[in-house]
Amino acid sequence: MIKRKDTLTSLTSEAPFGAPGTVVRTPLLQPEEFFGKGRVFNRMCLPVGSGIGSHVHEGEQEIYYILSGKGEYDNNGVKVEVGPGDLTLCPAGERHGIQNIGDTDLEFIALILFVE
């Protein structure tokens, strides 16, 4: 199977968890394609100044793989700068968030997998 980029649909919404700005999500898999192993595999875009507020994952872990731009990753309250090629992992029960601190879009892949 090949999914061509013109068949993928992007969704723009307010930034979640109290963060400023907007987020553009492009789901790469649909729910039935996870076979019960996860729930998110998205290309994410945070415009300048936008973010995803700090939040906790229960029974699942979330991974971000940074494609482009510059971000500030909140790792359980510790802020760390991230950029292209960096990977973040938020295990179940821990807290994370991310903010675009650059002057271009922050783009990354987000993957949520169930751990239980």
Side-chain angles (χ1 to χ4, degrees):
M1 170 194 286
I2 296 173
K3 292 184 180 185
R4 300 286 183 192
K5 64 182 176 181
D6 59 346
T7 66
L8 300 173
T9 302
S10 295
L11 311 163
T12 302
S13 62
E14 290 184 22
F17 306 109
T22 59
V23 60
V24 181
R25 295 178 174 93
T26 306
L28 302 174
L29 289 180
Q30 297 303 309
E32 66 275 6
E33 294 173 305
F34 284 98
F35 300 101
K37 306 294 184 194
R39 66 178 183 87
V40 169
F41 182 44
N42 290 347
R43 182 177 182 122
M44 307 288 285
C45 178
L46 297 176
V48 174
S50 295
I52 297 173
S54 184
H55 60 284
V56 175
H57 287 273
E58 297 294 343
E60 60 188 26
Q61 65 179 6
E62 186 165 23
I63 300 150
Y64 294 159
Y65 179 73
I66 310 300
L67 300 171
S68 64
K70 182 165 60 168
E72 182 178 75
Y73 183 74
D74 179 344
N75 184 26
N76 288 300
V78 177
K79 307 285 175 84
V80 179
E81 190 172 304
V82 293
D86 290 338
L87 184 136
T88 69
L89 172 64
C90 180
E94 295 193 16
R95 175 174 294 281
H96 76 144
I98 193 165
Q99 177 79 29
N100 182 341
I101 60 169
D103 55 7
T104 61
D105 289 346
L106 175 61
E107 296 189 42
F108 58 98
I109 299 296
L111 174 64
I112 296 178
L113 297 172
F114 301 140
V115 296
E116 297 176 356

